């Protein structure tokens, strides 16, 4: 709990995904995801870059 997580991305109102910071909170039941540049987050994704690299041709 409280450890930094990787491979998260977050998008704001513009729909552009940016690398996000993430950590587990609330006794391991919640993942908090944020980027200091995004004031109103709309979407979060996990592991997308790894998947994209794996299947890109």
């Amino acid at each position: 709990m409280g450890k930094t997580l990787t491979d998260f991305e977050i998008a704001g109102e513009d729909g552009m995904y940016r690398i996000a910071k993430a950590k587990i909170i609330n006794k391991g039941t919640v993942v908090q995801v944020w980027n200091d540049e995004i004031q109103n987050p709309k979407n979060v994704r996990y592991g997308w870059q790894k998947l994209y690299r794996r299947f890109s041709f």
Side-chain angles (χ1 to χ4, degrees):
M1 201 165 91
K3 294 182 180 179
T4 302
L5 305 173
T6 61
D7 300 324
F8 281 89
E9 295 176 292
I10 192 168
E13 294 175 353
D14 63 359
M16 299 297 293
Y17 282 90
R18 294 172 180 84
I19 294 172
K21 298 174 185 174
K23 67 179 178 179
I24 298 172
I25 60 171
N26 196 23
K27 297 184 181 180
T29 62
V30 176
V31 176
Q32 181 182 30
V33 181
W34 75 97
N35 178 303
D36 294 333
E37 297 175 7
I38 299 176
Q39 299 302 314
N40 298 308
K42 299 295 179 187
N43 298 299
V44 173
R45 63 187 183 191
Y46 171 75
W48 184 261
Q49 290 296 323
K50 285 183 179 182
L51 181 66
Y52 178 77
R53 284 191 299 264
R54 185 173 184 186
F55 291 105
S56 62
F57 301 97

